[in-house]
Amino acid sequence: MIDNFAELEIQCKQCQKCGLCETRTNVVFGVGTPDAEVMFIGEGPGQNEDEQGEPFVGRGGKLLDKMLEAIDLDRKKNIYIANIVKCRPPKNRDPLPEEQTACVDWLRNQFALIRPKIIVCLGRIAAAKIIKPDIKITKEHGIFFEKGNVLMMATLHPAALLRNPNNKPAAFEDYLKLQEKIKEICDHTYED
């Protein structure tokens, strides 16, 4: 394990553990504060993320930022956002199991250095990898699970909410539950 966040990012950006390195523009390491008590994890970068080198910057990212802002969270101030895989799968397809396996140690190292109290998985793929393999995202979103003294919750992926806007109210309820949980267990207050 690498015990320095800056060094971890440098090494991750040189990664060639799987074929995704051949088609990437940028490694999307993550964004946020390295001492965040809340960590958001998605499946992998899309085209906008690959171009800009930052997670969740397209239309889905704008929606995510709006929901975060509504509960006093901000990617630049008090959370950390990362992905299971750090390079864009071609045509935004789901990352293959072998790609996830090749890349997940970077995420594990990030987690070990950040030591968040709460993890929010954005979408089914992240939730299946992090929380439990058989998670039913449409039924189990907004439910907190505890693993190794860390609370984990899945919510619907922002891109899925753009495809199915009728699910936005249910997803926003997840964020309100998250806000309550933060107030209950986190050291920092997230209000200005």
Side-chain angles (χ1 to χ4, degrees), residues 40 59-74 79 122 155-159 161-162 167-176 178-179:
F40 286 76
R59 287 177 56 231
K62 287 178 180 36
L63 175 59
L64 175 62
D65 286 342
K66 281 183 184 176
M67 291 195 287
L68 292 171
E69 184 181 345
I71 61 165
D72 301 315
L73 297 179
D74 184 303
I79 62 170
L122 298 163
T155 190
L156 301 168
H157 195 285
L161 297 175
L162 292 173
N167 290 333
K168 284 182 185 177
F172 190 65
E173 285 295 316
D174 297 346
Y175 286 82
L176 294 174
L178 172 62
Q179 184 180 38

Side-chain angles (χ1 to χ4, degrees), residues 25-173:
T25 303
N26 285 295
V27 171
V28 181
F29 181 70
V31 66
T33 58
D35 62 348
E37 292 183 303
V38 181
M39 185 174 185
F40 286 76
I41 300 173
E43 63 188 60
Q47 182 177 349
N48 291 312
E49 292 76 14
D50 181 49
E51 290 169 357
Q52 296 180 44
E54 185 173 319
F56 291 94
V57 292
R59 287 177 56 231
K62 287 178 180 36
L63 175 59
L64 175 62
D65 286 342
K66 281 183 184 176
M67 291 195 287
L68 292 171
E69 184 181 345
I71 61 165
D72 301 315
L73 297 179
D74 184 303
R75 66 174 65 211
K76 292 182 176 42
K77 294 180 185 168
N78 55 18
I79 62 170
Y80 196 87
I81 305 174
N83 284 305
I84 302 282
V85 298
K86 309 298 186 193
C87 300
R88 177 188 179 208
K91 299 180 181 168
N92 292 354
R93 66 160 167 73
D94 292 347
L96 301 172
E98 58 268 23
E99 293 163 349
Q100 294 180 47
T101 299
C103 203
V104 78
D105 283 341
W106 298 117
L107 180 65
R108 285 188 180 119
N109 205 150
Q110 286 173 304
F111 170 82
L113 294 175
I114 295 168
R115 301 183 66 204
K117 292 181 178 178
I118 300 173
I119 289 179
V120 179
C121 293
L122 298 163
R124 174 187 54 82
I125 290 174
K129 186 75 176 173
I130 305 295
I131 298 173
K132 62 179 189 168
D134 62 344
I135 195 158
K136 306 284 184 251
I137 191 85
T138 53
K139 290 188 171 76
E140 295 180 283
H141 68 88
I143 297 171
F144 282 93
F145 299 84
E146 187 169 350
K147 287 176 72 177
N149 293 326
V150 178
L151 287 177
M152 301 182 180
M153 177 188 83
T155 190
L156 301 168
H157 195 285
L161 297 175
L162 292 173
R163 288 190 300 272
N164 301 302
N166 293 345
N167 290 333
K168 284 182 185 177
F172 190 65
E173 285 295 316

